[in-house]
């Protein structure tokens, strides 16, 4: 079996230009409102068939290692998680649903799209965890419908202590193919960071709100 490492996946993201770094004068605003000097755009992965296949295979391998076939459903978070959830559910030949960040305001008014039944065991696919808030919102929506979420899988997480504590408090295991410390190490080893960038990114990993005015 072809097992890839966190470094391999981080390199894939770098190779397609998914990682952008900016100075303090042009910070990214994240879903949580956090102002960040870095943005990892996993949405670009869909344009690269070899890379998207490796990513789907990697997530599917982790799911199989954890649960074998003892789960009923792959759920994906809208929107960035949806394509990856679809490819993973295809590899594992499991049904799929996706979860909106909030209930739809027209049509059927659904938050969860696709067929499911209360009591089913679900593995959630998210593209990326920063604070973990979006994933937990989806977990709550699934649980409110009587589904049991076993674990969250993703491509990338920032490894913030606050995110780890939040998910641990909720008793929600998670795993991603690669993460921020691995990416930073790679960027440093490849000489792709100026000293100022390296310092800024290291500070940010210790305190993700360091550039955010409250
Ligand atoms: O862990 P969090 O702090 O919640 O941040 C991560 C979330 O933010 C991004 O989604 P975004 O809200 O940008 O929407 P999209 O998936 O529709 O692009 C990303 O795809 C995750 O879902
Ligand atoms: O937290 C976010 O909104 C976020 C961070 C990031 O690096 N990439 C992304 O797509 N969203």
């Amino acid at each position: 079996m072809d097992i890839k490492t966190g470094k391999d996946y981080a390199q894939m993201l770098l190779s397609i230009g998914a990682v952008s770094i900016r100075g303090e004068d042009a910070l990214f605003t994240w879903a949580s409102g956090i102002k960040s000097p870095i943005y990892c755009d996993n949405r670009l992965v869909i344009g690269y068939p070899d890379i998207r296949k490796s990513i789907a295979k990697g997530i599917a391998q982790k799911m199989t290692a954890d649960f074998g076939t003892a789960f009923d459903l792959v759920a994906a978070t809208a929107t960035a998680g949806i394509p990856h959830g679809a490819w993973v559910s295809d590899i594992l030949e499991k049904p799929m649903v996706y979860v909106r960040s909030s209930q739809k305001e027209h049509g059927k008014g659904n938050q969860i799209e696709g067929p499911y039944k209360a009591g089913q065991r679900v593995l959630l696919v998210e593209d990326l965890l920063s604070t973990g808030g979006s994933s937990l919102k989806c977990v709550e929506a699934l649980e409110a419908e009587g589904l049991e979420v076993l674990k969250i899988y993703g491509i990338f997480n920032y490894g913030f202590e606050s995110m780890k504590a939040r998910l641990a408090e909720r008793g929600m295991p998670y795993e991603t193919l690669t993460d921020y410390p691995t990416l930073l190490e790679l960027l440093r080893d490849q000489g792709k960071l100026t000293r100022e960038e390296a310092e800024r990114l290291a500070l940010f990993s210790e305190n993700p709100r360091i550039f955010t005015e409250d």
Side-chain angles (χ1 to χ4, degrees):
M1 199 173 17
D2 175 27
I3 304 284
K4 294 201 160 34
T5 64
K7 228 173 173 172
D8 294 330
Y9 289 110
Q11 183 54 47
M12 288 180 206
L13 296 177
L14 287 178
S15 74
I16 61 169
V19 179
S20 307
I21 294 165
R22 286 188 184 164
E24 272 185 66
D25 51 341
L27 297 168
F28 292 98
T29 302
W30 282 0
S32 52
I34 286 175
K35 298 284 183 191
S36 164
I38 182 163
Y39 197 76
C40 180
D41 189 359
N42 294 323
R43 298 160 196 85
L44 294 174
V45 168
I46 61 179
Y48 300 86
D50 288 350
I51 291 177
R52 72 187 194 209
K53 251 183 233 164
S54 291
I55 284 174
K57 261 195 218 161
I59 293 176
Q61 279 165 357
K62 286 190 185 297
M63 289 177 168
T64 304
D66 288 343
F67 298 103
T69 58
F71 67 98
D72 303 298
L73 207 53
V74 171
T77 59
T79 59
I82 292 176
H84 306 291
W87 289 312
V88 168
S89 76
D90 199 43
I91 292 171
L92 297 176
E93 299 184 344
K94 290 285 187 184
M96 174 190 163
V97 297
Y98 68 85
V99 189
R100 299 176 185 279
S101 55
S102 59
Q103 214 177 344
K104 190 165 157 162
E105 287 180 1
H106 55 280
K108 291 183 177 173
N110 289 341
Q111 185 167 4
I112 304 172
E113 300 290 0
Y116 60 87
K117 286 192 209 107
Q120 284 184 313
R121 289 156 57 88
V122 181
L123 303 183
L124 183 63
V125 177
E126 168 69 282
D127 75 303
L128 176 145
L129 293 97
S130 303
T131 65
S134 306
S135 304
L136 285 178
K137 230 181 188 183
C138 292
V139 169
E140 277 157 24
L142 291 160
E143 289 180 347
E145 292 294 312
L147 296 156
E148 184 190 355
V149 183
L150 304 177
K151 185 164 169 177
I152 302 167
Y153 295 86
I155 301 170
F156 185 86
N157 86 84
Y158 278 92
F160 297 137
E161 289 307 321
S162 47
M163 178 211 71
K164 290 183 194 169
R166 192 170 179 185
L167 290 166
E169 194 184 321
R170 190 64 182 62
M172 186 49 60
Y174 72 95
E175 191 172 357
T176 61
L177 298 178
T178 189
D179 57 20
Y180 188 50
T182 308
L183 179 74
L184 280 189
E185 198 184 322
L186 207 57
L187 285 166
R188 272 192 222 112
D189 290 353
Q190 295 178 356
K192 289 194 173 145
L193 296 177
T194 62
R195 211 181 64 209
E196 290 75 28
E197 283 173 337
E199 280 170 9
R200 195 178 311 119
L201 293 174
L203 279 176
F204 184 66
S205 75
E206 275 165 36
N207 176 7
R209 293 202 172 263
I210 196 160
F211 302 115
T212 308
E213 289 161 25
D214 290 317

